Amino acid sequence: MPTFIHFLLLAVSLPIITAMPEPFSPDDWEPPLDPPPTPPYPPMDGPGRSFYPVGDNMTEPPAGAMEAYCQMLLQAPMPTEQIPWFCLCTHCKSTKGPKGDRGDRGLPGSPGSPGRRGLMGFRGPPGFVGRPGVKGQKGDEGEKGNRGAQGFVGPKGDRGFKGDKGEQGLEGRSGDQGPKGDDGVCPDACESSQGPPGMDGLPGPAGPRGLPGMQGLSGPKGLKGDMGDMGQPGAPGSEGVKGEPGPQGECNCTDGVDGSAGQRGDKGDKGGQGQTGPAGSRGTQGDKGDMGHMGMMGPPGPCMPTIQSAFSAGLTSSYPPPNAPVVFSQLHYNIQGSYDASTGLYTAPINGTYVFSYHLTVHERVLKVGLFHNFMPVVKTTDPKVLGTTSHSVILHLTRGDRVWIQVKDSITNGMYAGSEASSTFSGFLLHPDTCDMALLRAPILPMTPPQGGYNWGDLAGSSTPTPPTSPADNGAN
């Protein structure tokens, strides 16, 4: 039975909402005129619930709830002293008077004893949002989530405002030349008209400086110039020496009266030139005069180099055969034609001093190579590298008709190589001739005759530089 009563009380008190008392000051409190008696039993509504109006925010119980509650207590077998006074007044069938004025707030009552823990009520409405808490520490970085599905394409946006004009970009490179157009077709009545002139082409390279010309003939004699201004008068000469006095004349006359003045005599002859006076002191030096016009170029000097010779050739076939000149058949320069690309021989066109050099690539074999002058070795080089380069240069004095070439020792040490990424070259040029004769006065060069033993490796001599001739009448200069 008590369990049923508690359950019924809980069901009746559920609609009642808790009301919070308003804060008040003890100075403003006054005791009520007719306070209701305190019930002599423990409150049945529990902590925080009251059927008494204690504030402005008190929610009135629903209509009929008090009557049902009192009816339940009156029907229960309990003493009358334990029934609240307002339930006993329900038996009074007096008429309901007008509602009185609101009384003053009473003093807070003593807290009642806690009742039994009731059943959990329904979930209340959400409370007010509290103040934001203190920012917590940064959590651990989470794992990257899976890529979500692609969203729908949004609607096309409105056209934006026109932006400001950008800065001018860099000038692009000129395009490739287009293909040639089709030939034009001239109509029946075709009158040719001159097209606009084309743009000037780029200036060509400057040509080599020509030889100075011969001095021209003297021009005719010019007319006599106008008479110049009269010069300043010269300094007067020194006074001449006084002559000796003449003989005294005889006077056989008496002293008479002076006669009248005679007529003026004729002008006498010009006297002889007096002696030159002593030289005067030297005057101060005058300012430097203006530079005169450039004179005509004179004739060539007595020893102008009227002949030139130079060559440079490259190897085209690797590992050349021994006992023969190495043929450098790829010509880089050979305007004078002194080098023969079919035989590998260079022929000196005049007596003079020459410079020769070779730059060779070595590959897979040992290379023993030498520079030869008229079948005699001048310099030799040995390079044992599997892949490398070797070079040498030498200055020689040659007589007109002498030959110079490159030669390897044998087929085992002929590691001279030439390819698309490696080159081997042989070069030479005339440094200066011994004489200044004309090329038309020379006799033709005789062909070279190999010795009886043919080409051989030979041994290096002590010196291969002969003494240059001191006279232009040398046999090699004819």
Side-chain angles (χ1 to χ4, degrees):
M1 186 66 181
T3 304
F4 173 76
I5 294 174
H6 287 294
F7 179 77
L8 183 59
L9 291 175
L10 179 62
V12 172
S13 61
L14 280 178
I16 303 175
I17 300 174
T18 303
M20 298 299 294
E22 293 181 356
F24 66 93
S25 175
D27 298 336
D28 300 333
W29 179 85
E30 294 180 359
L33 297 178
D34 190 10
T38 305
Y41 59 90
M44 301 299 292
D45 48 2
R49 296 181 178 271
S50 175
F51 292 108
Y52 303 106
V54 294
D56 296 338
N57 58 352
M58 176 64 185
T59 304
E60 295 293 337
M66 296 297 293
E67 290 79 2
Y69 174 71
C70 292
Q71 186 68 23
M72 180 191 64
L73 293 179
L74 292 174
Q75 295 178 1
M78 57 186 306
T80 308
E81 295 80 10
Q82 295 183 1
I83 299 174
W85 61 271
F86 56 85
C87 289
L88 296 176
C89 289
T90 55
H91 296 278
C92 301
K93 299 299 181 179
S94 62
T95 60
K96 185 175 181 181
K99 185 176 180 181
D101 298 333
R102 183 176 178 178
D104 298 330
R105 172 178 288 181
L107 295 175
S110 60
S113 61
R116 295 183 180 181
R117 182 180 180 88
L119 299 176
M120 181 179 292
F122 296 103
R123 183 181 180 89
F128 299 102
V129 179
R131 296 180 180 178
V134 182
K135 184 177 181 181
Q137 298 180 356
K138 183 178 180 181
D140 299 334
E141 185 177 358
E143 298 180 358
K144 184 177 181 181
N146 299 328
R147 184 173 181 179
Q150 184 175 0
F152 298 101
V153 180
K156 183 176 180 181
D158 298 334
R159 184 171 182 178
F161 298 102
K162 184 177 181 181
D164 298 335
K165 183 177 181 182
E167 298 179 357
Q168 185 175 2
L170 301 177
E171 184 178 358
R173 64 179 185 87
S174 55
D176 300 332
Q177 184 176 1
K180 181 181 178 182
D182 299 334
D183 296 335
V185 179
C186 185
D188 296 337
C190 180
E191 296 181 0
S192 60
S193 61
Q194 185 175 1
M199 298 177 62
D200 296 338
L202 298 176
R209 184 174 181 179
L211 299 176
M214 301 295 291
Q215 183 177 3
L217 300 176
S218 301
K221 186 176 181 181
L223 300 177
K224 183 178 180 179
D226 298 335
M227 184 176 180
D229 298 334
M230 181 178 292
Q232 297 179 358
S238 60
E239 187 178 358
V241 182
K242 185 178 181 180
E244 297 177 359
Q248 186 177 1
E250 297 178 358
C251 183
N252 298 325
C253 60
T254 60
D255 188 12
V257 181
D258 294 335
S260 62
Q263 297 180 357
R264 187 177 182 179
D266 298 332
K267 187 178 180 180
D269 297 333
K270 184 179 181 181
Q273 184 177 3
Q275 297 179 0
T276 305
S281 60
R282 185 173 181 179
T284 59
Q285 185 176 358
D287 297 334
K288 184 177 180 180
D290 298 334
M291 183 177 182
H293 298 291
M294 182 180 293
M296 300 183 63
M297 186 177 294
C303 193
M304 180 180 177
T306 57
I307 187 170
Q308 299 176 354
S309 178
F311 80 97
S312 180
L315 185 69
T316 57
S317 179
S318 303
Y319 313 122
N323 301 325
V326 177
V327 178
F328 294 83
S329 57
Q330 183 181 2
L331 293 177
H332 300 303
Y333 182 89
N334 191 29
I335 295 179
Q336 293 79 18
S338 301
Y339 175 76
D340 189 352
S342 61
T343 61
L345 300 176
Y346 173 79
T347 304
I350 192 175
N351 297 358
T353 302
Y354 294 79
V355 179
F356 296 93
S357 63
Y358 56 83
H359 301 269
L360 308 174
T361 301
V362 184
H363 183 57
E364 291 186 353
R365 303 181 187 178
V366 177
L367 176 62
K368 291 186 177 182
V369 65
L371 186 140
F372 285 75
H373 169 216
N374 290 347
F375 303 99
M376 295 298 296
V378 180
V379 292
K380 292 182 179 180
T381 304
T382 301
D383 196 330
K385 298 179 182 177
V386 178
L387 177 61
T389 58
T390 184
S391 61
H392 211 108
S393 60
V394 66
I395 301 176
L396 299 176
H397 181 272
L398 303 181
T399 304
R400 182 171 181 266
D402 287 356
R403 268 78 173 186
V404 177
W405 67 87
I406 298 292
Q407 184 176 331
V408 295
K409 183 176 181 180
D410 49 38
S411 58
I412 300 177
T413 58
N414 63 342
M416 193 183 304
Y417 178 79
S420 59
E421 300 294 335
S423 301
S424 298
T425 59
F426 176 37
S427 306
F429 60 92
L430 171 64
L431 186 61
H432 60 79
D434 292 343
T435 59
C436 301
D437 58 339
M438 299 297 293
L440 299 177
L441 303 178
R442 303 190 189 103
I445 299 176
L446 300 177
M448 184 183 68
T449 303
Q452 185 176 3
Y455 296 93
N456 53 35
W457 184 246
D459 296 328
L460 291 174
S463 174
S464 61
T465 304
T467 303
T470 57
S471 174
D474 187 74
N475 294 334
N478 295 333

